Amino acid sequence: MRIIQVDKESVVPAYKQIVSQVEMAILSKRLFKDDRLPSVNKVCLENRISRDTVFQAFDELKRRGIIYAIMGKGYFVKTVDFQQGLRYFLLFDELNAFKEQLFQAFISSLGEKAQIDFFFHHFNANMFRKLIRDAKGNYAKYILMPSNLTDIEDVIATLPVSDVFILDQIRDSLEGYPSIYQNFSAAMYNSLSEAKGALMKYQKIKLIFTSYKEPIGMVRGFKRFCEENDFSYEIVTDITQFRLEVRCVYVVPNDEDLVFIIESCLEKGFQIGEDVGLISYNDTALKRVVANGVTTISTDFAAMGKRLAEMVWDQEQVKIENPSRLIVRKSL
């Protein structure tokens, strides 16, 4: 029976595939204590990979106390009693300043309890599917950020339900999974409601919603607030058709669009916070100082990462809304 079979088309590094397959062979009782592993030469020849790759995998298994080596004889199973839960699969859409806060808080909270393999799907459904197919069976937990990708529920359903955690955006079709998420509709509505007094000095509110990456819940919360409070509003979906207006507040989820609007204000001599209002999404250190301070709607990503680590490690089957808040600065 072939224990180790490397898929060269997989995005998972070959040495990690070997580690995972040895672990799974032990857990599925295809290998027992003191059984001999296939030789380094055999694994190399069967999979057409380098000896260094196999040594890297076997060294990792030795370091974790799963196998041992006998000089001149090979590698053997040291224990069948180990935690496969040390390996977690973490799939983000992309990495940016605020998601890095989430990631750092997550790994810091876990410490050395687990090994995290970190991947990105870049808002590509085919990549999302491939990454999950490649990861299936190789990890104890799967932490997924589906974002606004559609028709990906079926591939998520191929994973063990109790081992999947949904992060950041949730939808009805994923309600069966534990999750920690942002309520983008409520965050937009509640934050604009809190800022209503400051918004009254402007004649119009525009939501700059030009990116397919942004959660559609923002639009729902924005429209609800404007219509319930009789604010004149507009949703801009094409930045090339954008025309800067005075006495207008711009709600800008995308940071590239934010830079464009700030530059447009500078070119026209408009004063931000007086002639034009600005509300951005997701707080960063830079937004505290740009334009004398940009007002933001933001969740606490560090708290989100820390709570996620607790959920996954303790196997909590719960749904948690990570709250957002309005941070008012001079741009409003």
Side-chain angles (χ1 to χ4, degrees):
M1 185 183 299
R2 189 167 170 181
I3 298 297
I4 297 170
Q5 188 166 351
V6 173
D7 178 6
K8 291 188 176 180
E9 299 298 318
S10 173
V11 296
V12 179
Y15 87 92
K16 289 186 178 181
Q17 293 184 50
I18 295 171
V19 170
S20 176
Q21 288 171 21
V22 171
E23 289 177 341
M24 292 306 296
I26 295 170
L27 292 171
S28 61
K29 301 189 185 309
R30 288 182 291 138
L31 282 176
F32 296 89
K33 186 175 180 180
D34 295 322
D35 278 357
R36 182 178 176 178
L37 270 63
S39 70
V40 172
N41 286 339
K42 181 178 176 64
V43 176
C44 291
L45 290 171
E46 288 182 341
N47 294 281
R48 296 182 180 180
I49 56 178
S50 71
R51 289 171 59 83
D52 287 344
T53 298
V54 183
F55 279 127
Q56 184 179 8
F58 284 4
D59 285 345
E60 171 69 13
L61 289 163
K62 281 199 302 179
R63 185 184 66 80
R64 291 176 51 192
I66 296 173
I67 68 173
Y68 64 96
I70 298 179
M71 184 74 69
K73 291 188 177 182
Y75 295 85
F76 300 82
V77 176
K78 183 175 183 179
T79 181
V80 295
D81 184 20
F82 64 92
Q83 282 188 296
Q84 200 217 6
L86 292 175
R87 299 185 70 232
Y88 292 165
F89 176 80
L90 182 60
L91 180 56
F92 273 25
D93 45 27
E94 64 180 2
L95 187 63
N96 47 38
F98 37 92
K99 286 174 185 169
E100 186 173 0
Q101 293 176 25
L102 192 162
F103 173 69
Q104 292 297 337
F106 178 66
I107 62 173
S108 295
S109 296
L110 284 174
E112 297 184 358
K113 293 178 181 177
Q115 173 188 318
I116 312 299
D117 289 346
F118 196 16
F119 301 91
F120 303 95
H121 59 71
H122 300 290
F123 299 91
N124 183 309
N126 290 331
M127 178 60 71
F128 184 92
R129 287 173 170 276
K130 176 173 173 51
L131 288 166
I132 287 184
R133 284 195 297 265
D134 289 344
K136 182 182 175 182
N138 294 330
Y139 295 90
K141 302 297 175 188
Y142 302 84
I143 302 130
L144 311 177
M145 189 182 284
S147 303
N148 50 15
L149 295 178
T150 58
D151 300 324
I152 41 78
E153 286 81 359
D154 59 335
V155 73
I156 296 176
T158 65
L159 302 172
V161 174
S162 60
D163 295 337
V164 174
F165 294 81
I166 303 298
L167 180 60
D168 202 36
Q169 291 190 51
I170 196 67
R171 63 189 79 163
D172 291 344
S173 57
L174 298 175
E175 280 292 320
Y177 299 99
S179 59
I180 183 164
Y181 63 93
Q182 297 185 66
N183 187 331
F184 292 95
S185 178
M188 180 70 77
Y189 178 84
N190 293 337
S191 294
L192 294 179
S193 297
E194 184 179 341
K196 183 177 177 180
L199 296 173
M200 295 295 291
K201 70 178 182 180
Y202 298 95
Q203 296 175 350
K204 192 173 187 177
I205 309 178
K206 289 188 180 184
L207 173 63
I208 312 299
F209 200 78
T210 62
S211 175
Y212 63 91
K213 300 177 182 180
E214 309 304 341
I216 194 64
M218 292 180 179
V219 176
R220 291 194 292 267
F222 176 79
K223 290 178 67 176
R224 179 188 167 201
F225 169 80
C226 293
E227 291 170 0
E228 287 185 3
N229 293 279
D230 295 322
F231 275 93
S232 175
Y233 72 91
E234 181 181 342
I235 299 172
V236 178
T237 57
D238 184 354
I239 198 67
T240 64
Q241 303 299 316
F242 171 80
R243 184 170 62 87
L244 191 66
E245 299 179 34
V246 294
R247 315 308 302 162
C248 183
V249 177
Y250 295 92
V251 182
V252 194
N254 183 277
D255 282 355
E256 290 183 10
D257 294 339
L258 177 67
V259 171
F260 179 81
I261 291 174
I262 292 174
E263 288 178 338
S264 299
C265 288
L266 293 173
E267 289 174 5
K268 293 183 178 294
F270 292 168
Q271 186 174 349
I272 296 173
E274 293 296 331
D275 303 314
V276 169
L278 275 183
I279 301 176
S280 178
Y281 222 95
N282 298 318
D283 202 41
T284 63
L286 197 59
K287 292 175 186 177
R288 300 172 197 160
V289 294
V290 168
N292 293 317
V294 176
T295 296
T296 60
I297 301 169
S298 187
T299 196
D300 187 333
F301 289 99
M304 194 177 195
K306 181 179 179 181
R307 188 65 183 91
L308 174 66
E310 295 170 352
M311 282 178 60
V312 176
W313 185 254
D314 294 333
Q315 301 187 63
E316 296 180 58
Q317 301 295 301
V318 296
K319 296 178 180 64
I320 300 173
E321 179 180 330
N322 206 61
S324 296
R325 67 188 181 102
L326 178 71
I327 304 171
V328 179
R329 298 192 179 104
K330 291 184 178 180
S331 72
L332 198 57

